[in-house]
Amino acid sequence: MKNKIENICCIGAGYVGGPTMAVIADNCKHLKINVVDMNKERIDLWNSSNLNELPIYEPGLDKIIERCRGKNLFFSNEVEKNIEIADMVFISVNTPTKKKGLGAGKASDLKWVEACARQVAKYARGYTIVVEKSTLPVKTAEVIKNILEAAELESKEKDIKFDVLSNPEFLAEGTAIKDLEAPDRVLIGGENQNAILSLSNIYSFWVEENKILHTNIWSSELAKLTANAFLAQRISSINSIGALCEATGADVREVARAIGTDSRIGSKFLDSGPGFGGSCFKKDILNLVYLSNYFGLPEVADFWEGIVKLNNWHQHRISKLIVKKLFGTVSGKKICILGFAFKANTNDTRESAAINICNDLIEEGAVLFIHDPKVDPKQIEKDLDRKENIQLKGYKDSNFYEFEGNWCSINELNSASEGSDAIVVLTEWKEYSSLDWVEISKKMRKPAWVFDVRSIIPSKKITNLNLNFWQIGNGSDY
Ligand code: NAD
Ligand code: UGA
């Protein structure tokens, strides 16, 4: 079997496929990389001459695309042709939670992965290494292998042969390029040492050898789910303690600092916020829950399910708290929401805490003015399942505007804060930490509230401005 890799095909041009292949292309100029996707609109955006139109926003990504696109990195819808010429195929498609059938609500839906495996089985020629880049349940490689082996047996005359590797991705959105360029580790699980070496050789162009870990294929698949479960667990842990801080007069930042200096605990991932979002934490933990139950370990399943339950509870706790502080009703009240992405530096809103919190407030009758520097209002419309629909009905008195509708998007906060009863910070965009509170406070309707759910507003900027200030996990001020 030849080990020389020249042509790579990546199926899936999403938040993982796009940046990952861009960084490989940037570091391995000898490779020709074709990123393919069935979504035409997405591919058109990847090929847009205006780099501000790339389908995903990631700091530093545009520069790499500019350097590599059209040279050794190509985006297209030509799935079949590019599988055919590839020596290595990455499967980087979505693996959402199943909506119906066996395991609905918990198990991963492998329909897109299976479709890819079938496409590879049909179009590959000669020897091809198939790499699972998507996050998959343990033993998925077996499913892929079965499909590929069936194809090997079927068409002896084509002389096709496959090896399957697991190479899960650990990048976080917003820091994807940094994470890919300087990863803590690269994990490769597999059986065939030559195939493992072929993939290791690619990473070794920019990753130190001691950071490229080799494991068996099942350990690799389980390690990915476990990493996300441990990270999410820290967030639910600190958010649960934040609620206790609010009730007892402690401050969650002080508690986090105190425990984070213990080198066994470490200081990262201890920021209390509106609850974890993103496309993966919830889905991957629920997948772990499903697997644990499937393998007859209900206590293990319950343990991990608690992390997701706490997160759901926490998000609704925030919306209830806002209503309570605003005298028990937000009906007809104007509330400015700062940030809709699930974290800063991304335009991704999947599972964003803002969706639950905004929907709760809308259900309570609030009128939301939503700002996010990178999220397209059309995406917010989809997430809230409501069109932008706010209209000014009139003025009740000099500073009470009457609105009809549920929400609208705003470009900036200063003028939009006119007549608002509350401002709620839900995403930690840097620009929100340096707002002009003196000007904003003049425009708000009193008594007015600022809810800093990300802990990014220095409290001294709010004092003496006739504003009520609430900060997540801070019980010491009340
Ligand atoms: P995504 O939804 O952004 O992208 C997936 C893409 O695959 C879509 O554009 C879709 O059109 C395409 N696709 C699906 N089936 C296809 C097929 N048969 N042929 C061609 N194209 C097809 O998903 P993502 O966020 O990039 O995640 C991909 C995987 O990586 C998931 O398993 C996820 O759990 C994992 N992951 C995601 C992240 C992250 O930060 N988003 C990080 C690590 C791992
Ligand atoms: C996460 C992991 O960090 C990645 O390693 C993993 O590859 C990825 O999931 C995945 O498999 O998809 P991501 O979801 O992009 O990455 O972003 P994180 O930085 O992990 O943040 C997730 C959520 O937790 C966000 O809503 C964030 O605001 C929240 N968070 C994070 C906190 O509330 N507090 C923290 O201290 C850290």
mmCIF file of all heavy atoms in Angstrom, residues 384-400:
data_model
loop_
_atom_site.group_PDB
_atom_site.id
_atom_site.type_symbol
_atom_site.label_atom_id
_atom_site.label_comp_id
_atom_site.label_asym_id
_atom_site.label_seq_id
_atom_site.Cartn_x
_atom_site.Cartn_y
_atom_site.Cartn_z
ATOM 1 N N LEU A 384 -35.276 32.286 16.849
ATOM 2 C CA LEU A 384 -36.418 32.644 17.706
ATOM 3 C C LEU A 384 -37.734 32.205 17.071
ATOM 4 O O LEU A 384 -38.796 32.313 17.687
ATOM 5 C CB LEU A 384 -36.440 34.153 17.956
ATOM 6 C CG LEU A 384 -35.251 34.727 18.742
ATOM 7 C CD1 LEU A 384 -35.408 36.232 18.910
ATOM 8 C CD2 LEU A 384 -35.114 34.073 20.105
ATOM 9 N N ASP A 385 -37.619 31.741 15.821
ATOM 10 C CA ASP A 385 -38.795 31.313 15.080
ATOM 11 C C ASP A 385 -39.850 32.431 15.002
ATOM 12 O O ASP A 385 -41.044 32.197 15.132
ATOM 13 C CB ASP A 385 -39.381 30.049 15.738
ATOM 14 C CG ASP A 385 -40.258 29.276 14.760
ATOM 15 O OD1 ASP A 385 -40.159 29.549 13.567
ATOM 16 O OD2 ASP A 385 -41.059 28.420 15.215
ATOM 17 N N ARG A 386 -39.348 33.641 14.889
ATOM 18 C CA ARG A 386 -40.227 34.815 14.784
ATOM 19 C C ARG A 386 -39.554 35.846 13.901
ATOM 20 O O ARG A 386 -38.349 36.058 14.005
ATOM 21 C CB ARG A 386 -40.406 35.491 16.155
ATOM 22 C CG ARG A 386 -41.283 34.771 17.114
ATOM 23 C CD ARG A 386 -41.358 35.588 18.390
ATOM 24 N NE ARG A 386 -42.363 35.047 19.282
ATOM 25 C CZ ARG A 386 -42.120 34.161 20.233
ATOM 26 N NH1 ARG A 386 -40.900 33.720 20.410
ATOM 27 N NH2 ARG A 386 -43.089 33.734 21.026
ATOM 28 N N LYS A 387 -40.350 36.506 13.071
ATOM 29 C CA LYS A 387 -39.784 37.563 12.223
ATOM 30 C C LYS A 387 -39.531 38.817 13.060
ATOM 31 O O LYS A 387 -40.177 39.022 14.082
ATOM 32 C CB LYS A 387 -40.774 37.899 11.106
ATOM 33 C CG LYS A 387 -40.908 36.791 10.083
ATOM 34 C CD LYS A 387 -41.186 37.368 8.708
ATOM 35 C CE LYS A 387 -41.124 36.343 7.608
ATOM 36 N NZ LYS A 387 -39.893 35.602 7.483
ATOM 37 N N GLU A 388 -38.600 39.646 12.580
ATOM 38 C CA GLU A 388 -38.390 40.956 13.218
ATOM 39 C C GLU A 388 -39.684 41.728 13.043
ATOM 40 O O GLU A 388 -40.140 41.900 11.910
ATOM 41 C CB GLU A 388 -37.290 41.731 12.498
ATOM 42 C CG GLU A 388 -35.905 41.401 12.937
ATOM 43 C CD GLU A 388 -34.889 42.417 12.417
ATOM 44 O OE1 GLU A 388 -34.907 43.562 12.878
ATOM 45 O OE2 GLU A 388 -34.090 42.035 11.558
ATOM 46 N N ASN A 389 -40.279 42.197 14.133
ATOM 47 C CA ASN A 389 -41.634 42.717 13.968
ATOM 48 C C ASN A 389 -41.967 43.898 14.875
ATOM 49 O O ASN A 389 -43.131 44.123 15.204
ATOM 50 C CB ASN A 389 -42.646 41.577 14.223
ATOM 51 C CG ASN A 389 -42.485 40.992 15.618
ATOM 52 O OD1 ASN A 389 -41.651 41.421 16.385
ATOM 53 N ND2 ASN A 389 -43.310 40.012 15.939
ATOM 54 N N ILE A 390 -40.950 44.646 15.299
ATOM 55 C CA ILE A 390 -41.275 45.716 16.255
ATOM 56 C C ILE A 390 -41.658 47.018 15.558
ATOM 57 O O ILE A 390 -41.000 47.455 14.621
ATOM 58 C CB ILE A 390 -40.097 45.952 17.212
ATOM 59 C CG1 ILE A 390 -40.075 44.783 18.182
ATOM 60 C CG2 ILE A 390 -40.235 47.273 17.949
ATOM 61 C CD1 ILE A 390 -39.123 44.928 19.296
ATOM 62 N N GLN A 391 -42.719 47.587 16.040
ATOM 63 C CA GLN A 391 -43.110 48.909 15.543
ATOM 64 C C GLN A 391 -43.420 49.820 16.716
ATOM 65 O O GLN A 391 -43.997 49.367 17.714
ATOM 66 C CB GLN A 391 -44.371 48.778 14.696
ATOM 67 C CG GLN A 391 -44.036 48.352 13.290
ATOM 68 C CD GLN A 391 -45.243 47.844 12.560
ATOM 69 O OE1 GLN A 391 -46.368 47.990 13.021
ATOM 70 N NE2 GLN A 391 -45.007 47.233 11.415
ATOM 71 N N LEU A 392 -43.040 51.060 16.556
ATOM 72 C CA LEU A 392 -43.357 52.035 17.597
ATOM 73 C C LEU A 392 -44.836 52.392 17.481
ATOM 74 O O LEU A 392 -45.300 52.791 16.421
ATOM 75 C CB LEU A 392 -42.471 53.278 17.394
ATOM 76 C CG LEU A 392 -42.603 54.385 18.407
ATOM 77 C CD1 LEU A 392 -42.215 53.920 19.790
ATOM 78 C CD2 LEU A 392 -41.729 55.568 17.989
ATOM 79 N N LYS A 393 -45.569 52.227 18.594
ATOM 80 C CA LYS A 393 -47.011 52.551 18.564
ATOM 81 C C LYS A 393 -47.239 54.026 18.896
ATOM 82 O O LYS A 393 -48.188 54.646 18.455
ATOM 83 C CB LYS A 393 -47.744 51.691 19.589
ATOM 84 C CG LYS A 393 -48.542 50.555 18.935
ATOM 85 C CD LYS A 393 -49.071 49.571 19.937
ATOM 86 C CE LYS A 393 -50.161 50.128 20.835
ATOM 87 N NZ LYS A 393 -50.585 49.142 21.849
ATOM 88 N N GLY A 394 -46.371 54.556 19.730
ATOM 89 C CA GLY A 394 -46.538 55.951 20.122
ATOM 90 C C GLY A 394 -45.805 56.222 21.416
ATOM 91 O O GLY A 394 -45.038 55.391 21.899
ATOM 92 N N TYR A 395 -46.045 57.378 21.981
ATOM 93 C CA TYR A 395 -45.407 57.764 23.243
ATOM 94 C C TYR A 395 -46.490 57.938 24.286
ATOM 95 O O TYR A 395 -47.428 58.688 24.090
ATOM 96 C CB TYR A 395 -44.649 59.085 23.093
ATOM 97 C CG TYR A 395 -43.619 59.067 22.002
ATOM 98 C CD1 TYR A 395 -43.952 59.455 20.708
ATOM 99 C CD2 TYR A 395 -42.324 58.633 22.264
ATOM 100 C CE1 TYR A 395 -43.006 59.419 19.693
ATOM 101 C CE2 TYR A 395 -41.375 58.593 21.247
ATOM 102 C CZ TYR A 395 -41.723 58.988 19.974
ATOM 103 O OH TYR A 395 -40.790 58.953 18.977
ATOM 104 N N LYS A 396 -46.318 57.248 25.416
ATOM 105 C CA LYS A 396 -47.312 57.389 26.467
ATOM 106 C C LYS A 396 -47.041 58.683 27.234
ATOM 107 O O LYS A 396 -47.925 59.437 27.556
ATOM 108 C CB LYS A 396 -47.239 56.195 27.409
ATOM 109 C CG LYS A 396 -48.606 55.648 27.759
ATOM 110 C CD LYS A 396 -48.445 54.400 28.572
ATOM 111 C CE LYS A 396 -49.785 53.712 28.704
ATOM 112 N NZ LYS A 396 -49.645 52.437 29.348
ATOM 113 N N ASP A 397 -45.758 58.867 27.550
ATOM 114 C CA ASP A 397 -45.339 60.142 28.126
ATOM 115 C C ASP A 397 -43.936 60.410 27.597
ATOM 116 O O ASP A 397 -43.441 59.661 26.754
ATOM 117 C CB ASP A 397 -45.417 60.125 29.660
ATOM 118 C CG ASP A 397 -44.572 59.027 30.253
ATOM 119 O OD1 ASP A 397 -43.405 58.917 29.849
ATOM 120 O OD2 ASP A 397 -45.080 58.264 31.092
ATOM 121 N N SER A 398 -43.280 61.437 28.116
ATOM 122 C CA SER A 398 -42.018 61.865 27.495
ATOM 123 C C SER A 398 -40.971 60.755 27.399
ATOM 124 O O SER A 398 -40.151 60.759 26.503
ATOM 125 C CB SER A 398 -41.462 63.070 28.239
ATOM 126 O OG SER A 398 -41.211 62.676 29.574
ATOM 127 N N ASN A 399 -40.968 59.821 28.364
ATOM 128 C CA ASN A 399 -39.938 58.788 28.224
ATOM 129 C C ASN A 399 -40.513 57.368 28.227
ATOM 130 O O ASN A 399 -39.836 56.417 28.572
ATOM 131 C CB ASN A 399 -38.826 58.952 29.271
ATOM 132 C CG ASN A 399 -39.298 58.608 30.659
ATOM 133 O OD1 ASN A 399 -40.489 58.402 30.861
ATOM 134 N ND2 ASN A 399 -38.386 58.539 31.594
ATOM 135 N N PHE A 400 -41.745 57.238 27.842
ATOM 136 C CA PHE A 400 -42.299 55.891 27.748
ATOM 137 C C PHE A 400 -42.805 55.640 26.329
ATOM 138 O O PHE A 400 -43.824 56.164 25.899
ATOM 139 C CB PHE A 400 -43.424 55.704 28.773
ATOM 140 C CG PHE A 400 -43.914 54.269 28.845
ATOM 141 C CD1 PHE A 400 -43.173 53.223 28.287
ATOM 142 C CD2 PHE A 400 -45.110 53.973 29.471
ATOM 143 C CE1 PHE A 400 -43.606 51.911 28.340
ATOM 144 C CE2 PHE A 400 -45.557 52.648 29.539
ATOM 145 C CZ PHE A 400 -44.801 51.625 28.967
#
